[in-house]
Amino acid sequence: MKPRYEALAQRISARFGDRLSAVDSTCGELTYELDKADLLDVALRLRDDEDFRFEMLVDVCGVDYLTYGKAEWQTEEATSTGFSRGAVPENIVPDDDATFEPRRFAVVYHLLSISGNYRLRLRVFTGPDNPPVVPSVVEIWSVANWFERETFDLFGILFDGHPDLRRILTDYGFIGHPFRKDFPLVGNVEVRYDPERSRVIYQPVSIEPRTLVPRVIRDDNRYSDDLKDESA
Amino acid sequence: MTEIQNYTLNFGPQHPAAHGVLRLVLEMDGEVIQNADPHVGLLHRGTEKLAESKPFNQSIGYMDRLDYVSMMCNEHGYVLAIERLLGIEVPIRAQYIRVMFDEITRILNHLMWLGAHGLDIGAMTMFLYCFREREDLMDCYEAVSGTRMHATYYRPGGVYRDLPDEIPRYEPNRWRSKKEIARLNRNRTGSFLDFIEDFTVRFPGRVDEYETLLTDNRIWKQRTVNIGVVSPERAMQLGFTGPMLRGSGVEWDLRKKQPYETYADVDFDIPVGVNGDCYDRYLVRIEEMRQSNHIIKQCVDWLREHPGPVIVDDHKYAPPSREQMKGEMESLIHHFKLFTEGYTVPAGEAYAAIEHPKGEFGAYIISDGANKPYRLKIRAPGFAHISSMHEMVVGHMLADVVAVIGTQDIVFGEIDR
């Protein structure tokens, strides 16, 4: 990590203590996780305090950690039939339960300080509530308005205090939140023109999802400390 | 006497000045805008979700299709994020090639912007002038990548292949006279770099031509001066980046402030505006074209003298050459693994931002150690810009909406993703 960022990390830990917990990032970028109750207070201080001055919110995005670390090819034998190269799609049932796994949904904020020329990443987990809710930062950075609308649209995360939380990218009247991991890549409905009713209609998708390249996770000795190649 | 009420006007989605599929719902009091509500997403293709289902390299082509007038810059952001996760160092020659093509792309983008913006607010000729120069740069794209637009030229670890020795020439045909063919081929006799150098010599004169048509043009100034004024404080609040931010007088350019590739070693200036109106943003972009031209020239000089590899020699990420693949078992295995499964990327997350012609283009990748990204988020500059549409057009006339759409340099490929 660059010394400039180390100094920033020290200032942050001095200012916020254990309210922000640093995440080990592989790429020298500062990342912190915080509780969603602290978000507004921390964000406001990060923007206004002389030590930080993060004038800009560069990006807000949602993440669904439902299938994190799961590979499709954990099998010992190969199949000889069908598409999808032996990857059997795991049947993910959309959970209609009242609660989620608390670390399933996260909202990630990328901050940029123009006067100090550094970046910072904040991650807030939504907790077990269904639907997931996070406080809105629109009052702090105006640009958050559309970014939060997008996150709501794609992940179904609600932003408490957002002035106008409408869908933004998907179709008018769309059902579901397409970037959740339990939403199929091919979608649930397709549209076509129906000559009999002489209008465009929605119907269940007629194509089957298939895997062209299975998702694999290799225990690569170049990345693992205890498996490191002696000669490397 | 009947009371006059506000009315709602639907602008687009099929409107030539909407730069794609923008639907603007405008609430108007006479001809004055009271409220503007842009509806986007009509071009949403789920690029980020698609990327989650593909090995890393197979998504590079999708990046071209985001902002489809600055193709290689999109690739650059994505590839840079992967390289950061993998921790690989790109050969210096590849870095210079990337810088050169980023700047070629910047000129391509700004020419497209200038032509379309001019066309929208009444300067028809600009479009024809700009497309004349775009054609030469498109030929450069075609010469290195085989395609005029969707290049897929940048790869993690470098670029797909080295610069070609020559630029394709026009063949004799029955529709053009010999003289005409000879004229078209005049600057195509030398190497590829000669062709680009010839362009950089010609181009400042061409920018002067554009400026003669517009900069002091009374109508142009009436349409752009004091339209869509944004203060520097608001520009930062609204997440503006690139020429939109610089037009408001904030000196911020990632190429200077957080240099990537070899931008620290090339000489160029950052133009900034004063008033933050459409006219200042026009001046900023015009000057950026001149600066880009200057950078390209420096890259050409460097590339001439420094041959070398253009992609990493690690066949875990970059495929071996065809010859090697046919001759060595090890290379064959690498080739097979790369093209059937791809490479796995260590678990972690990275955000790589580049100074895209439109602003800050960032790719945020979360990897869980698989051969596909777990989550890819594309930070598109246009998305932040268009979200400020209401603030920029309120109180202006209907015709100024077109000027503001033009000045925001909107392309729906990246906004809707």
Side-chain angles (χ1 to χ4, degrees):
Chain A
M1 204 184 287
K2 288 177 190 153
R4 224 153 37 86
Y5 276 95
E6 270 166 22
L8 176 66
Q10 275 170 10
R11 287 207 299 279
I12 286 176
S13 67
R15 190 79 168 78
F16 298 107
D18 52 2
R19 288 209 288 169
L20 293 189
S21 54
V23 178
D24 249 354
S25 181
T26 47
C27 310
E29 299 166 351
L30 273 189
T31 310
Y32 290 94
E33 281 178 12
L34 68 158
D35 195 76
K36 66 178 181 181
D38 291 335
L39 178 66
L40 289 185
D41 181 43
V42 169
L44 195 65
R45 289 199 199 178
L46 283 175
R47 187 192 71 178
D48 289 341
D49 272 15
E50 213 42 54
D51 274 356
F52 309 119
R53 303 202 65 78
F54 285 98
E55 303 99 339
M56 264 176 83
L57 176 65
V58 171
D59 192 27
V60 177
C61 76
V63 186
D64 178 0
Y65 281 99
L66 182 65
T67 60
Y68 188 85
K70 285 187 187 148
E72 285 172 323
W73 234 12
Q74 283 153 340
T75 170
E76 297 298 311
E77 69 229 56
T79 58
S80 55
T81 53
F83 291 120
S84 298
R85 302 183 185 275
V88 184
E90 194 189 341
N91 207 6
I92 304 171
V93 187
D95 38 1
D96 299 321
D97 303 344
T99 57
F100 288 124
E101 166 71 26
R103 286 175 75 85
R104 172 163 176 196
F105 288 109
V107 180
V108 180
Y109 301 85
H110 285 96
L111 310 184
L112 169 69
S113 166
I114 289 203
S115 40
N117 191 12
Y118 32 63
R119 291 173 186 278
L120 181 71
R121 185 184 299 132
L122 298 178
R123 186 181 359 249
V124 176
F125 280 95
T126 60
D129 310 342
N130 185 11
V133 187
V134 168
S136 168
V137 294
V138 173
E139 292 295 314
I140 300 168
W141 293 287
S142 311
V143 67
N145 189 328
W146 274 35
F147 283 133
E148 290 181 348
R149 274 179 72 185
E150 180 193 322
T151 309
F152 158 69
D153 188 4
L154 301 179
F155 289 93
I157 298 171
L158 302 179
F159 289 87
D160 192 21
H162 191 285
D164 181 26
L165 202 61
R166 281 178 294 154
R167 283 188 181 273
I168 187 165
L169 289 180
T170 53
D171 200 0
Y172 303 111
F174 189 87
I175 297 168
H177 298 288
F179 277 34
R180 287 189 176 185
K181 291 285 178 179
D182 54 18
F183 192 96
L185 182 68
V186 295
N188 292 320
V189 288
E190 61 187 22
V191 284
R192 72 171 172 89
Y193 179 74
D194 187 343
E196 281 165 25
R197 276 173 275 188
S198 57
R199 64 179 173 87
V200 172
I201 59 160
Y202 285 83
Q203 63 186 35
V205 278
S206 55
I207 47 173
E208 244 175 68
R210 67 176 196 196
T211 311
L212 292 176
V213 180
R215 183 183 173 78
V216 290
I217 297 179
R218 301 268 175 220
D219 296 322
D220 198 320
N221 60 352
R222 284 166 302 165
Y223 308 139
S224 161
D225 285 330
D226 44 319
L227 289 173
K228 256 295 185 270
D229 200 345
E230 291 292 324
S231 62
Chain B
M1 199 173 145
T2 51
E3 201 174 315
I4 299 172
Q5 287 180 327
N6 285 357
Y7 61 94
T8 307
L9 181 83
N10 188 45
F11 179 101
Q14 302 295 340
H15 190 287
H19 286 210
V21 279
L22 167 67
R23 182 180 168 212
L24 256 179
V25 179
L26 300 168
E27 198 188 313
M28 321 256 316
D29 175 15
E31 214 184 322
V32 180
I33 313 287
Q34 300 293 318
N35 187 23
D37 179 21
H39 288 210
V40 302
L42 290 108
L43 202 62
H44 179 61
R45 294 148 297 178
T47 304
E48 295 155 351
K49 179 108 177 168
L50 280 168
E52 288 170 12
S53 70
K54 290 180 167 45
F56 283 89
N57 269 15
Q58 289 187 18
S59 299
I60 301 173
Y62 283 99
M63 298 302 130
D64 293 311
R65 287 149 180 86
L66 289 170
D67 178 357
Y68 43 75
V69 295
S70 30
M71 296 69 74
M72 287 198 196
C73 286
N74 305 333
E75 292 172 20
H76 199 170
Y78 176 64
V79 162
L80 214 57
I82 299 175
E83 280 162 4
R84 222 167 262 179
L85 278 167
L86 290 171
I88 46 182
E89 195 63 36
V90 178
I92 182 84
R93 184 175 168 85
Q95 295 189 20
Y96 268 99
I97 292 176
R98 283 182 180 182
V99 168
M100 182 171 83
F101 271 96
D102 273 12
E103 296 310 317
I104 286 178
T105 309
R106 196 176 314 278
I107 294 181
L108 270 174
N109 177 79
H110 284 2
L111 285 175
M112 177 77 203
W113 159 80
L114 182 61
H117 189 31
L119 192 63
D120 286 347
I121 54 177
M124 173 86 204
T125 318
M126 283 316 300
F127 198 72
L128 307 173
Y129 275 41
C130 291
F131 270 64
R132 180 185 57 188
E133 270 71 67
R134 261 174 76 84
E135 207 51 39
D136 285 342
L137 296 177
M138 285 292 179
D139 285 347
C140 296
Y141 259 54
E142 187 170 355
V144 292
S145 72
T147 138
R148 286 161 54 85
M149 295 196 60
H150 302 306
T152 330
Y153 181 55
Y154 294 6
R155 301 291 160 94
V159 294
Y160 170 58
R161 61 176 180 192
D162 205 347
L163 302 173
D165 293 331
E166 52 184 32
I167 183 103
R169 297 187 193 104
Y170 286 91
E171 308 256 321
N173 59 49
R174 48 203 260 230
W175 297 281
R176 283 195 165 117
S177 67
K178 270 199 182 121
K179 214 172 124 193
E180 173 78 359
I181 297 277
R183 186 186 65 79
L184 287 170
N185 282 338
R186 205 172 46 215
N187 51 19
R188 292 166 186 264
T189 49
S191 71
F192 176 71
L193 287 172
D194 290 338
F195 180 74
I196 298 183
E197 187 163 23
D198 178 65
F199 177 85
T200 60
V201 173
R202 260 182 301 139
F203 189 62
R206 300 292 162 91
V207 181
D208 293 341
E209 283 180 23
Y210 312 148
E211 289 219 76
T212 339
L213 280 171
L214 294 180
T215 304
D216 292 322
N217 182 323
R218 196 170 69 231
I219 305 173
W220 181 256
K221 285 178 104 168
Q222 280 170 353
R223 293 302 306 271
T224 53
V225 174
N226 278 332
I227 303 293
V229 180
V230 183
S231 70
E233 294 75 32
R234 280 310 289 166
M236 286 192 263
Q237 266 284 311
L238 292 167
F240 281 11
T241 43
M244 295 290 289
L245 186 62
R246 292 193 283 275
S248 293
V250 182
E251 196 190 327
W252 179 259
D253 189 318
L254 291 178
R255 293 175 293 171
K256 278 269 193 237
K257 303 286 179 183
Q258 301 176 355
Y260 48 97
E261 312 297 5
T262 57
Y263 275 115
D265 302 332
V266 290
D267 169 55
F268 64 101
D269 296 321
I270 315 174
V272 287
V274 179
N275 304 316
D277 57 4
C278 292
Y279 187 67
D280 278 19
R281 288 186 282 268
Y282 154 77
L283 293 176
V284 165
R285 288 188 173 113
I286 289 283
E287 184 55 31
E288 275 186 23
M289 288 203 273
R290 294 185 193 275
Q291 295 298 330
S292 293
N293 195 55
H294 184 48
I295 298 174
I296 294 173
K297 201 176 262 173
Q298 296 170 54
C299 291
V300 168
D301 291 344
W302 192 94
L303 286 166
R304 271 189 207 287
E305 281 157 26
H306 299 82
V310 294
I311 194 158
V312 286
D313 193 30
D314 187 342
H315 298 320
K316 296 286 181 210
Y317 314 114
S321 73
R322 202 79 194 151
E323 226 164 76
Q324 279 178 309
M325 190 265 280
K326 295 283 185 189
E328 302 163 19
M329 194 62 207
E330 182 115 342
S331 294
L332 182 68
I333 295 170
H334 276 135
H335 186 274
F336 177 75
K337 289 306 277 183
L338 268 174
F339 285 93
T340 52
E341 182 181 299
Y343 44 83
T344 55
V345 167
E349 50 194 303
Y351 176 81
I354 62 151
E355 187 69 29
H356 185 274
K358 294 184 166 62
E360 174 175 329
F361 180 94
Y364 173 49
I365 299 180
I366 301 179
S367 167
D368 60 350
N371 57 342
K372 306 173 180 183
Y374 183 75
R375 166 90 168 108
L376 165 68
K377 164 73 200 210
I378 291 151
R379 193 275 176 195
F383 190 78
H385 294 159
I386 197 181
S387 71
S388 71
M389 180 64 78
H390 170 75
E391 192 169 325
M392 283 179 81
V393 300
V394 140
H396 282 310
M397 310 276 255
L398 176 59
D400 299 328
V401 173
V402 175
V404 169
I405 294 175
T407 196
Q408 288 185 342
D409 197 4
I410 281 167
V411 163
F412 275 88
E414 56 157 12
I415 290 171
D416 293 347
R417 281 156 287 154

